[in-house]
């Protein structure tokens, strides 16, 4: 079993990054449309374009929420039954984000793990940063 781990430092305050992770509208702007609420136990979905073996819905449940440093939720979509966590640490230059997508077991999860690995890296490096930059500049 190999987890996806993506760590990035971004030049934004931790509270701003936290809001991008826990506000449903902001989360939709850089990740996917959702009905997220920052409450432990809350069940929510992300929706995206369907693909073979995947109906386009990721079913999730919040199970760890410690503002402004940790968010973790289940991630069930297609054949996947995994866990996503975000850990935020304030740094001198902004915030270090560590994303871990865990629970990939067996050869059947190899392709989704590779695809999601590239996807998370791109989302954190590009879309999240662009979203935060737009928030900073009032967009």
């Amino acid at each position: 079993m190999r987890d996806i781990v993506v760590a990035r430092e971004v030049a934004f305050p931790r509270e701003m990054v936290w809001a991008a992770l826990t506000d449903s509208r902001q989360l939709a702007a850089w990740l996917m449309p959702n009905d997220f609420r920052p409450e432990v136990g809350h069940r929510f979905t992300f929706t995206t374009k369907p693909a073979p073996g995947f109906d386009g819905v990721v079913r999730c449940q919040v199970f760890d929420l410690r503002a402004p440093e940790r968010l973790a939720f289940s991630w069930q979509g297609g054949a996947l039954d995994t866990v996503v966590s975000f850990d935020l640490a304030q740094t001198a230059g902004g915030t270090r984000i560590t994303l871990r997508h865990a629970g990939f077991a067996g050869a059947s999860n190899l392709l989704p793990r590779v695809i999601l690995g590239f996807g998370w890296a791109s989302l954190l490096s590009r879309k999240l940063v662009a979203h935060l930059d737009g928030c900073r500049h009032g967009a």
Side-chain angles (χ1 to χ4, degrees):
M1 182 169 20
R2 292 186 46 199
D3 297 348
I4 297 167
V5 179
V6 179
R8 297 285 186 272
E9 184 164 342
V10 296
F12 301 93
R14 185 166 64 166
E15 290 74 18
M16 193 175 179
V17 177
W18 180 253
L21 294 175
T22 59
D23 176 271
S24 178
R25 288 180 28 207
Q26 289 194 53
L27 196 56
W30 69 271
L31 185 53
M32 285 183 272
N34 64 84
D35 58 347
F36 177 85
R37 284 196 321 259
E39 301 168 5
V40 172
H42 176 65
R43 293 180 186 276
F44 66 100
T45 58
F46 287 113
T47 56
T48 190
K49 192 169 99 177
F54 173 55
D55 65 2
V57 179
V58 181
R59 291 155 187 86
C60 306
Q61 184 174 8
V62 178
F63 65 85
D64 196 357
L65 184 74
R66 287 178 267 154
E69 59 195 41
R70 181 164 173 77
L71 168 65
F73 48 85
S74 59
W75 178 282
Q76 298 172 320
L80 292 180
D81 188 359
T82 55
V83 173
V84 172
S85 62
F86 293 90
D87 289 289
L88 306 181
Q90 191 73 46
T91 66
T95 305
R96 181 162 186 81
I97 306 167
T98 303
L99 170 133
R100 179 176 300 273
H101 195 153
F104 296 92
S108 65
N109 286 333
L110 179 60
L111 184 58
R113 186 178 63 75
V114 169
I115 291 168
L116 285 164
F118 283 113
W120 283 123
S122 176
L123 283 164
L124 293 184
S125 296
R126 294 189 180 101
K127 289 193 82 175
L128 176 60
V129 169
H131 170 73
L132 291 167
D133 196 47
C135 289
R136 176 181 280 166
H137 294 101

